[in-house]
């Protein structure tokens, strides 16, 4: 079953159940006569699955092959923006998705790490202070991995600032492939903010433009 079909089924099921996870009830029951119940955790998991299904659905190789063409970049960007906004809104209300928050559906497909690709697909948004502060706060609360957060932030630095501040694997996209010595002070502050150790001096890189002179 492809991702878009999964998303369609989720929407249909949600309408059928006539439930709202925002209401904060502990148990949400079906309208039909059955012993099956939908918990608040299940309801939140459905929201997460809906968001990530849309994010991954536009990248589904099967769908791309069927259409014989890639999704137009402007459409993909619009969907990435929509998914990112929905994910951020979810985090503000409930926190970063965790096993405790989502319960039994935590291990279903990619729900457990579902927001990771969404953050990476919209890494240009990491420059926004409210987004930056939100994710840092999730790290401090123990819901988001500091390493994952560093990946999100560093992808922005690498792509848009042409430098690495968190020494993440994205540094491989740069000519210098590491944190520059001249950026050590700023890098140390950013790493400390999310509880990571500074990049060891021995791993710092000389600026290639300086070496060439």
């Amino acid at each position: 079953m492809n991702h878009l079909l999964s998303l369609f089924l989720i929407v249909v099921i949600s309408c059928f159940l006539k439930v709202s996870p925002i209401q904060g009830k502990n148990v949400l029951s079906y309208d039909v006569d059955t012993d099956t119940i939908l918990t608040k955790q299940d309801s939140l998991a459905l929201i997460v699955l809906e968001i990530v299904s849309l994010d991954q659905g536009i990248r589904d190789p099967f769908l791309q092959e069927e259409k014989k063409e890639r999704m137009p970049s402007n459409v993909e960007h619009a969907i990435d923006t929509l998914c990112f906004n929905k994910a951020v809104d979810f985090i503000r209300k409930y926190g970063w998705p965790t096993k405790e928050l989502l319960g039994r559906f935590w291990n279903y497909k990619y729900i457990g790490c579902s927001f990771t690709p969404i953050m990476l697909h919209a890494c240009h948004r990491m420059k926004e202070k409210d987004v930056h502060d939100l994710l840092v706060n999730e790290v401090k609360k123990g819901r988001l991995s500091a390493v994952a957060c560093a990946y999100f932030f560093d992808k922005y630095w690498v792509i848009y600032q042409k430098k690495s501040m968190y020494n993440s694997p994205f540094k491989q996209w740069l000519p210098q492939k590491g944190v520059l010595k001249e950026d050590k002070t700023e890098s140390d502050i950013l790493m400390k903010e999310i509880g990571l150790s500074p990049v060891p001096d021995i791993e710092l890189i000389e600026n290639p433009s300086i070496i060439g002179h």
Side-chain angles (χ1 to χ4, degrees):
M1 181 183 298
N2 62 56
H3 299 303
L4 292 183
L5 179 56
S6 298
L7 175 59
F8 173 76
L9 290 176
I10 290 168
V11 173
V12 171
I13 291 172
S14 298
C15 293
F16 176 72
L17 296 178
K18 297 180 181 178
V19 299
S20 171
I22 312 300
Q23 294 173 350
K25 296 180 180 179
N26 290 328
V27 176
L28 304 174
S29 58
Y30 292 85
D31 286 343
V32 294
D33 184 18
T34 176
D35 292 332
T36 306
I37 59 174
L38 183 68
T39 67
K40 181 180 179 181
Q41 288 176 315
D42 297 339
S43 191
L44 292 177
L46 281 174
I47 295 178
V48 173
L49 183 58
E50 177 185 359
I51 296 171
V52 74
S53 293
L54 182 57
D55 175 77
Q56 294 298 306
I58 61 171
R59 296 172 170 84
D60 192 312
F62 177 77
L63 295 179
Q64 300 292 351
E65 183 178 344
E66 274 194 335
K67 294 185 300 182
K68 305 299 182 183
E69 60 182 11
R70 283 186 56 81
M71 180 78 68
S73 59
N74 62 324
V75 175
E76 186 171 304
H77 176 74
I79 293 177
D80 283 346
T81 298
L82 174 63
C83 292
F84 184 86
N85 289 340
K86 284 180 172 290
V88 167
D89 186 53
F90 182 96
I91 296 168
R92 286 197 177 107
K93 291 177 180 177
Y94 308 108
W96 186 267
T98 62
K99 186 173 184 178
E100 181 180 8
L101 184 68
L102 303 184
R104 58 181 171 172
F105 286 113
W106 165 256
N107 291 322
Y108 179 73
K109 292 187 179 293
Y110 34 69
I111 288 184
C113 58
S114 57
F115 280 3
T116 295
I118 293 174
M119 297 295 112
L120 293 173
H121 292 156
C123 65
H124 61 285
R125 300 287 298 275
M126 297 300 142
K127 67 179 180 180
E128 299 173 15
K129 187 178 186 305
D130 61 329
V131 172
H132 178 96
D133 292 348
L134 176 67
L135 295 179
V136 169
N137 190 49
E138 289 301 302
V139 171
K140 292 180 178 179
K141 289 183 177 180
R143 294 190 288 238
L144 171 62
S145 160
V147 173
C149 189
Y151 278 33
F152 304 156
F153 292 160
D154 212 34
K155 187 178 181 183
Y156 161 76
W157 279 98
V158 169
I159 292 179
Y160 296 98
Q161 302 299 327
K162 308 305 178 186
K163 61 174 67 176
S164 172
M165 286 293 182
Y166 295 86
N167 207 35
S168 76
F170 290 115
K171 66 186 179 183
Q172 298 300 323
W173 296 0
L174 298 167
Q176 64 268 27
K177 302 188 185 307
V179 176
L180 298 176
K181 288 184 177 180
E182 63 192 59
D183 294 325
K184 175 177 172 53
T185 300
E186 186 175 4
S187 174
D188 287 355
I189 293 173
L190 293 173
M191 297 279 275
K192 182 179 180 181
E193 181 182 36
I194 55 176
L196 294 178
S197 300
V199 179
D201 289 348
I202 194 172
E203 294 184 22
L204 296 173
I205 308 296
E206 290 284 0
N207 191 322
S209 62
I210 296 178
I211 296 176
H213 288 78

